[in-house]
Short mmCIF file of all heavy atoms in Angstrom, two decimals:
data_model
loop_
_atom_site.label_atom_id
_atom_site.label_comp_id
_atom_site.label_asym_id
_atom_site.label_seq_id
_atom_site.Cartn_x
_atom_site.Cartn_y
_atom_site.Cartn_z
N ALA A 33 -35.70 -47.09 -23.60
CA ALA A 33 -34.28 -47.44 -23.68
C ALA A 33 -33.97 -48.09 -25.03
O ALA A 33 -32.96 -47.79 -25.66
CB ALA A 33 -33.89 -48.37 -22.53
N GLU A 34 -34.83 -48.99 -25.46
CA GLU A 34 -34.62 -49.64 -26.76
C GLU A 34 -34.67 -48.61 -27.89
O GLU A 34 -33.87 -48.67 -28.83
CB GLU A 34 -35.67 -50.73 -26.98
CG GLU A 34 -35.41 -51.58 -28.19
CD GLU A 34 -34.11 -52.36 -28.15
OE1 GLU A 34 -33.70 -52.83 -27.07
OE2 GLU A 34 -33.46 -52.49 -29.22
N ASP A 35 -35.60 -47.65 -27.79
CA ASP A 35 -35.66 -46.59 -28.80
C ASP A 35 -34.39 -45.75 -28.80
O ASP A 35 -33.89 -45.38 -29.87
CB ASP A 35 -36.87 -45.68 -28.54
CG ASP A 35 -38.20 -46.36 -28.83
OD1 ASP A 35 -38.20 -47.44 -29.49
OD2 ASP A 35 -39.24 -45.83 -28.40
N LEU A 36 -33.88 -45.44 -27.61
CA LEU A 36 -32.65 -44.65 -27.52
C LEU A 36 -31.48 -45.39 -28.16
O LEU A 36 -30.67 -44.79 -28.88
CB LEU A 36 -32.31 -44.33 -26.07
CG LEU A 36 -33.10 -43.25 -25.38
CD1 LEU A 36 -32.67 -43.12 -23.92
CD2 LEU A 36 -32.96 -41.92 -26.09
N VAL A 37 -31.39 -46.68 -27.90
CA VAL A 37 -30.30 -47.47 -28.48
C VAL A 37 -30.41 -47.51 -30.00
O VAL A 37 -29.42 -47.33 -30.71
CB VAL A 37 -30.27 -48.90 -27.89
CG1 VAL A 37 -29.29 -49.79 -28.64
CG2 VAL A 37 -29.90 -48.85 -26.42
N GLN A 38 -31.62 -47.70 -30.51
CA GLN A 38 -31.81 -47.72 -31.96
C GLN A 38 -31.42 -46.38 -32.58
O GLN A 38 -30.75 -46.34 -33.62
CB GLN A 38 -33.26 -48.07 -32.32
CG GLN A 38 -33.62 -49.50 -32.04
CD GLN A 38 -32.78 -50.46 -32.85
OE1 GLN A 38 -32.47 -50.24 -34.00
NE2 GLN A 38 -32.37 -51.55 -32.22
N THR A 39 -31.84 -45.29 -31.95
CA THR A 39 -31.48 -43.96 -32.45
C THR A 39 -29.97 -43.78 -32.44
O THR A 39 -29.38 -43.28 -33.41
CB THR A 39 -32.15 -42.88 -31.58
OG1 THR A 39 -33.56 -43.05 -31.64
CG2 THR A 39 -31.77 -41.48 -32.05
N ALA A 40 -29.33 -44.18 -31.34
CA ALA A 40 -27.88 -44.03 -31.23
C ALA A 40 -27.16 -44.85 -32.30
O ALA A 40 -26.21 -44.38 -32.91
CB ALA A 40 -27.42 -44.47 -29.84
N LEU A 41 -27.63 -46.06 -32.54
CA LEU A 41 -26.97 -46.91 -33.54
C LEU A 41 -27.17 -46.38 -34.96
O LEU A 41 -26.27 -46.48 -35.79
CB LEU A 41 -27.46 -48.36 -33.42
CG LEU A 41 -27.03 -49.07 -32.13
CD1 LEU A 41 -27.63 -50.47 -32.07
CD2 LEU A 41 -25.52 -49.11 -32.00
N MET A 42 -28.34 -45.80 -35.23
CA MET A 42 -28.54 -45.20 -36.56
C MET A 42 -27.59 -44.02 -36.77
O MET A 42 -26.96 -43.91 -37.82
CB MET A 42 -30.00 -44.72 -36.71
CG MET A 42 -30.98 -45.85 -36.91
SD MET A 42 -32.66 -45.30 -37.32
CE MET A 42 -33.02 -44.13 -36.04
N LYS A 43 -27.48 -43.17 -35.76
CA LYS A 43 -26.57 -42.02 -35.87
C LYS A 43 -25.11 -42.47 -35.95
O LYS A 43 -24.32 -41.87 -36.67
CB LYS A 43 -26.79 -41.07 -34.70
CG LYS A 43 -28.12 -40.36 -34.76
CD LYS A 43 -28.32 -39.44 -33.59
CE LYS A 43 -29.66 -38.73 -33.70
NZ LYS A 43 -29.88 -37.78 -32.60
N LEU A 44 -24.78 -43.50 -35.21
CA LEU A 44 -23.42 -44.02 -35.24
C LEU A 44 -23.09 -44.59 -36.61
O LEU A 44 -22.00 -44.37 -37.12
CB LEU A 44 -23.23 -45.09 -34.16
CG LEU A 44 -21.86 -45.77 -34.13
CD1 LEU A 44 -20.77 -44.74 -33.84
CD2 LEU A 44 -21.84 -46.89 -33.10
N TYR A 45 -24.02 -45.30 -37.22
CA TYR A 45 -23.76 -45.90 -38.52
C TYR A 45 -23.44 -44.82 -39.57
O TYR A 45 -22.53 -44.97 -40.37
CB TYR A 45 -24.93 -46.75 -38.99
CG TYR A 45 -24.66 -47.42 -40.31
CD1 TYR A 45 -23.85 -48.55 -40.37
CD2 TYR A 45 -25.17 -46.91 -41.50
CE1 TYR A 45 -23.55 -49.17 -41.58
CE2 TYR A 45 -24.88 -47.52 -42.71
CZ TYR A 45 -24.08 -48.65 -42.75
OH TYR A 45 -23.79 -49.25 -43.95
N VAL A 46 -24.20 -43.74 -39.52
CA VAL A 46 -23.99 -42.65 -40.48
C VAL A 46 -22.59 -42.06 -40.30
O VAL A 46 -21.91 -41.75 -41.28
CB VAL A 46 -25.07 -41.56 -40.32
CG1 VAL A 46 -24.74 -40.33 -41.13
CG2 VAL A 46 -26.44 -42.11 -40.71
N ALA A 47 -22.16 -41.93 -39.06
CA ALA A 47 -20.87 -41.29 -38.78
C ALA A 47 -19.73 -42.31 -38.58
O ALA A 47 -18.63 -41.92 -38.18
CB ALA A 47 -21.00 -40.43 -37.53
N TRP A 48 -19.99 -43.59 -38.82
CA TRP A 48 -19.03 -44.64 -38.49
C TRP A 48 -17.61 -44.40 -39.00
O TRP A 48 -16.67 -44.48 -38.21
CB TRP A 48 -19.55 -45.99 -38.97
CG TRP A 48 -18.65 -47.13 -38.62
CD1 TRP A 48 -17.85 -47.83 -39.46
CD2 TRP A 48 -18.43 -47.68 -37.32
NE1 TRP A 48 -17.15 -48.79 -38.77
CE2 TRP A 48 -17.50 -48.72 -37.45
CE3 TRP A 48 -18.93 -47.39 -36.06
CZ2 TRP A 48 -17.06 -49.48 -36.38
CZ3 TRP A 48 -18.49 -48.15 -34.98
CH2 TRP A 48 -17.57 -49.18 -35.15
N PRO A 49 -17.39 -44.08 -40.27
CA PRO A 49 -16.00 -43.91 -40.73
C PRO A 49 -15.27 -42.79 -39.97
O PRO A 49 -14.13 -42.96 -39.54
CB PRO A 49 -16.14 -43.55 -42.21
CG PRO A 49 -17.47 -44.07 -42.61
CD PRO A 49 -18.33 -43.97 -41.39
N ARG A 50 -15.94 -41.67 -39.78
CA ARG A 50 -15.34 -40.53 -39.09
C ARG A 50 -15.07 -40.86 -37.62
O ARG A 50 -13.99 -40.58 -37.09
CB ARG A 50 -16.27 -39.32 -39.19
CG ARG A 50 -15.77 -38.10 -38.45
CD ARG A 50 -16.70 -36.91 -38.62
NE ARG A 50 -18.10 -37.20 -38.38
CZ ARG A 50 -18.67 -37.15 -37.17
NH1 ARG A 50 -17.96 -36.85 -36.11
NH2 ARG A 50 -19.95 -37.42 -37.03
N VAL A 51 -16.05 -41.49 -36.95
CA VAL A 51 -15.91 -41.81 -35.53
C VAL A 51 -14.83 -42.86 -35.32
O VAL A 51 -14.03 -42.77 -34.39
CB VAL A 51 -17.26 -42.31 -34.96
CG1 VAL A 51 -17.10 -42.83 -33.55
CG2 VAL A 51 -18.29 -41.21 -35.02
N GLN A 52 -14.77 -43.82 -36.19
CA GLN A 52 -13.78 -44.88 -36.07
C GLN A 52 -12.36 -44.32 -36.26
O GLN A 52 -11.44 -44.70 -35.55
CB GLN A 52 -14.07 -45.98 -37.08
CG GLN A 52 -13.35 -47.26 -36.76
CD GLN A 52 -13.73 -48.37 -37.71
OE1 GLN A 52 -14.10 -48.11 -38.85
NE2 GLN A 52 -13.62 -49.59 -37.25
N ARG A 53 -12.21 -43.39 -37.20
CA ARG A 53 -10.90 -42.76 -37.40
C ARG A 53 -10.50 -41.94 -36.19
O ARG A 53 -9.34 -41.90 -35.80
CB ARG A 53 -10.92 -41.86 -38.64
CG ARG A 53 -10.67 -42.57 -39.94
CD ARG A 53 -10.42 -41.60 -41.07
NE ARG A 53 -11.44 -40.56 -41.22
CZ ARG A 53 -12.55 -40.68 -41.93
NH1 ARG A 53 -12.81 -41.80 -42.57
NH2 ARG A 53 -13.41 -39.69 -42.03
N ALA A 54 -11.48 -41.25 -35.59
CA ALA A 54 -11.20 -40.41 -34.43
C ALA A 54 -10.83 -41.24 -33.21
O ALA A 54 -10.10 -40.77 -32.34
CB ALA A 54 -12.40 -39.53 -34.11
N GLY A 55 -11.35 -42.44 -33.14
CA GLY A 55 -10.92 -43.33 -32.07
C GLY A 55 -11.97 -43.72 -31.06
O GLY A 55 -12.41 -44.83 -31.06
N ASN A 56 -12.41 -42.84 -30.21
CA ASN A 56 -13.22 -43.22 -29.06
C ASN A 56 -14.70 -43.39 -29.41
O ASN A 56 -15.52 -42.52 -29.17
CB ASN A 56 -13.05 -42.19 -27.94
CG ASN A 56 -13.42 -42.76 -26.61
OD1 ASN A 56 -14.02 -43.82 -26.51
ND2 ASN A 56 -13.06 -42.04 -25.57
N VAL A 57 -15.03 -44.55 -29.95
CA VAL A 57 -16.39 -44.85 -30.39
C VAL A 57 -17.33 -44.90 -29.19
O VAL A 57 -18.46 -44.39 -29.25
CB VAL A 57 -16.44 -46.18 -31.17
CG1 VAL A 57 -17.85 -46.54 -31.58
CG2 VAL A 57 -15.54 -46.11 -32.40
N ASP A 58 -16.90 -45.49 -28.09
CA ASP A 58 -17.76 -45.61 -26.91
C ASP A 58 -18.20 -44.25 -26.37
O ASP A 58 -19.36 -44.06 -26.01
CB ASP A 58 -17.05 -46.40 -25.81
CG ASP A 58 -16.88 -47.86 -26.17
OD1 ASP A 58 -17.68 -48.39 -26.97
OD2 ASP A 58 -15.93 -48.49 -25.67
N ALA A 59 -17.29 -43.30 -26.32
CA ALA A 59 -17.63 -41.96 -25.84
C ALA A 59 -18.64 -41.30 -26.77
O ALA A 59 -19.57 -40.63 -26.32
CB ALA A 59 -16.38 -41.10 -25.73
N TYR A 60 -18.46 -41.49 -28.07
CA TYR A 60 -19.38 -40.93 -29.05
C TYR A 60 -20.78 -41.51 -28.86
O TYR A 60 -21.77 -40.78 -28.85
CB TYR A 60 -18.86 -41.21 -30.46
CG TYR A 60 -19.65 -40.52 -31.56
CD1 TYR A 60 -19.43 -39.20 -31.88
CD2 TYR A 60 -20.63 -41.22 -32.26
CE1 TYR A 60 -20.14 -38.57 -32.88
CE2 TYR A 60 -21.36 -40.60 -33.27
CZ TYR A 60 -21.11 -39.28 -33.58
OH TYR A 60 -21.83 -38.66 -34.56
N VAL A 61 -20.88 -42.81 -28.68
CA VAL A 61 -22.19 -43.46 -28.49
C VAL A 61 -22.83 -43.02 -27.19
O VAL A 61 -24.04 -42.77 -27.13
CB VAL A 61 -22.06 -45.00 -28.56
CG1 VAL A 61 -23.36 -45.67 -28.23
CG2 VAL A 61 -21.59 -45.43 -29.93
N ARG A 62 -22.03 -42.91 -26.12
CA ARG A 62 -22.58 -42.42 -24.84
C ARG A 62 -23.17 -41.03 -25.00
O ARG A 62 -24.26 -40.74 -24.51
CB ARG A 62 -21.49 -42.38 -23.77
CG ARG A 62 -21.28 -43.65 -23.04
CD ARG A 62 -20.46 -43.44 -21.78
NE ARG A 62 -19.29 -42.60 -21.95
CZ ARG A 62 -18.09 -43.03 -22.28
NH1 ARG A 62 -17.88 -44.30 -22.51
NH2 ARG A 62 -17.08 -42.19 -22.41
N ARG A 63 -22.45 -40.18 -25.71
CA ARG A 63 -22.94 -38.81 -25.91
C ARG A 63 -24.24 -38.83 -26.71
O ARG A 63 -25.17 -38.08 -26.41
CB ARG A 63 -21.90 -37.97 -26.61
CG ARG A 63 -22.38 -36.53 -26.80
CD ARG A 63 -21.29 -35.62 -27.18
NE ARG A 63 -20.55 -35.31 -25.96
CZ ARG A 63 -19.49 -34.52 -25.95
NH1 ARG A 63 -19.05 -34.01 -27.05
NH2 ARG A 63 -18.87 -34.26 -24.83
N ILE A 64 -24.32 -39.69 -27.71
CA ILE A 64 -25.56 -39.82 -28.49
C ILE A 64 -26.70 -40.27 -27.58
O ILE A 64 -27.81 -39.73 -27.64
CB ILE A 64 -25.41 -40.80 -29.66
CG1 ILE A 64 -24.43 -40.29 -30.71
CG2 ILE A 64 -26.77 -41.06 -30.33
CD1 ILE A 64 -24.11 -41.30 -31.80
N LEU A 65 -26.45 -41.26 -26.72
CA LEU A 65 -27.50 -41.74 -25.81
C LEU A 65 -27.98 -40.63 -24.89
O LEU A 65 -29.20 -40.44 -24.72
CB LEU A 65 -26.99 -42.92 -24.98
CG LEU A 65 -26.88 -44.26 -25.68
CD1 LEU A 65 -26.20 -45.28 -24.78
CD2 LEU A 65 -28.25 -44.76 -26.10
N VAL A 66 -27.06 -39.90 -24.30
CA VAL A 66 -27.44 -38.81 -23.39
C VAL A 66 -28.21 -37.73 -24.13
O VAL A 66 -29.29 -37.30 -23.71
CB VAL A 66 -26.20 -38.23 -22.68
CG1 VAL A 66 -26.55 -36.95 -21.94
CG2 VAL A 66 -25.61 -39.25 -21.73
N ASN A 67 -27.69 -37.29 -25.27
CA ASN A 67 -28.36 -36.23 -26.03
C ASN A 67 -29.71 -36.68 -26.57
O ASN A 67 -30.68 -35.91 -26.56
CB ASN A 67 -27.46 -35.75 -27.17
CG ASN A 67 -26.26 -34.98 -26.68
OD1 ASN A 67 -26.22 -34.53 -25.54
ND2 ASN A 67 -25.26 -34.84 -27.52
N SER A 68 -29.80 -37.91 -27.04
CA SER A 68 -31.08 -38.42 -27.54
C SER A 68 -32.09 -38.52 -26.41
O SER A 68 -33.28 -38.26 -26.59
CB SER A 68 -30.90 -39.79 -28.19
OG SER A 68 -30.09 -39.69 -29.33
N GLY A 69 -31.62 -38.92 -25.23
CA GLY A 69 -32.50 -38.97 -24.07
C GLY A 69 -33.04 -37.60 -23.71
O GLY A 69 -34.22 -37.44 -23.38
N ILE A 70 -32.18 -36.59 -23.79
CA ILE A 70 -32.62 -35.21 -23.53
C ILE A 70 -33.65 -34.79 -24.58
O ILE A 70 -34.70 -34.25 -24.24
CB ILE A 70 -31.42 -34.25 -23.52
CG1 ILE A 70 -30.52 -34.53 -22.31
CG2 ILE A 70 -31.88 -32.80 -23.54
CD1 ILE A 70 -29.18 -33.81 -22.36
N ASP A 71 -33.36 -35.06 -25.85
CA ASP A 71 -34.28 -34.69 -26.93
C ASP A 71 -35.64 -35.37 -26.75
O ASP A 71 -36.68 -34.73 -26.90
CB ASP A 71 -33.71 -35.06 -28.29
CG ASP A 71 -32.50 -34.22 -28.68
OD1 ASP A 71 -32.28 -33.18 -28.04
OD2 ASP A 71 -31.78 -34.63 -29.62
N GLU A 72 -35.61 -36.66 -26.44
CA GLU A 72 -36.86 -37.41 -26.29
C GLU A 72 -37.66 -36.92 -25.09
O GLU A 72 -38.89 -36.88 -25.14
CB GLU A 72 -36.58 -38.90 -26.15
CG GLU A 72 -36.15 -39.55 -27.44
CD GLU A 72 -37.21 -39.50 -28.52
OE1 GLU A 72 -38.39 -39.80 -28.23
OE2 GLU A 72 -36.87 -39.15 -29.66
N SER A 73 -37.00 -36.55 -24.01
CA SER A 73 -37.73 -36.10 -22.82
C SER A 73 -38.40 -34.75 -23.05
O SER A 73 -39.35 -34.40 -22.35
CB SER A 73 -36.79 -36.02 -21.62
OG SER A 73 -35.85 -34.98 -21.78
N ARG A 74 -37.95 -34.00 -24.04
CA ARG A 74 -38.54 -32.69 -24.33
C ARG A 74 -39.73 -32.77 -25.28
O ARG A 74 -40.46 -31.81 -25.42
CB ARG A 74 -37.48 -31.78 -24.94
CG ARG A 74 -36.42 -31.39 -23.95
CD ARG A 74 -35.40 -30.50 -24.59
NE ARG A 74 -34.38 -30.13 -23.61
CZ ARG A 74 -33.18 -29.72 -23.93
NH1 ARG A 74 -32.83 -29.61 -25.19
NH2 ARG A 74 -32.31 -29.42 -23.00
N ARG A 75 -39.90 -33.90 -25.93
CA ARG A 75 -40.99 -34.03 -26.89
C ARG A 75 -42.31 -34.24 -26.17
O ARG A 75 -42.41 -35.07 -25.26
CB ARG A 75 -40.70 -35.20 -27.83
CG ARG A 75 -39.47 -34.90 -28.66
CD ARG A 75 -39.42 -35.75 -29.89
NE ARG A 75 -38.33 -35.25 -30.72
CZ ARG A 75 -37.33 -35.98 -31.16
NH1 ARG A 75 -37.29 -37.27 -30.90
NH2 ARG A 75 -36.39 -35.46 -31.89
N PRO A 76 -43.35 -33.52 -26.58
CA PRO A 76 -44.63 -33.58 -25.85
C PRO A 76 -45.25 -34.97 -25.81
O PRO A 76 -45.83 -35.35 -24.81
CB PRO A 76 -45.54 -32.62 -26.61
CG PRO A 76 -44.70 -31.88 -27.57
CD PRO A 76 -43.39 -32.58 -27.68
#
Side-chain angles (χ1 to χ4, degrees):
E34 188 62 37
D35 290 346
L36 284 177
V37 171
Q38 289 299 321
T39 300
L41 292 177
M42 286 188 308
K43 290 180 179 182
L44 177 62
Y45 182 77
V46 171
W48 183 253
R50 177 178 49 87
V51 172
Q52 197 176 27
R53 275 192 308 273
N56 201 347
V57 178
D58 291 333
Y60 187 81
V61 174
R62 274 195 316 270
R63 181 166 282 179
I64 294 172
L65 284 173
V66 169
N67 290 343
S68 295
I70 292 169
D71 291 345
E72 287 297 314
S73 68
R74 291 180 180 159
R75 295 200 171 125

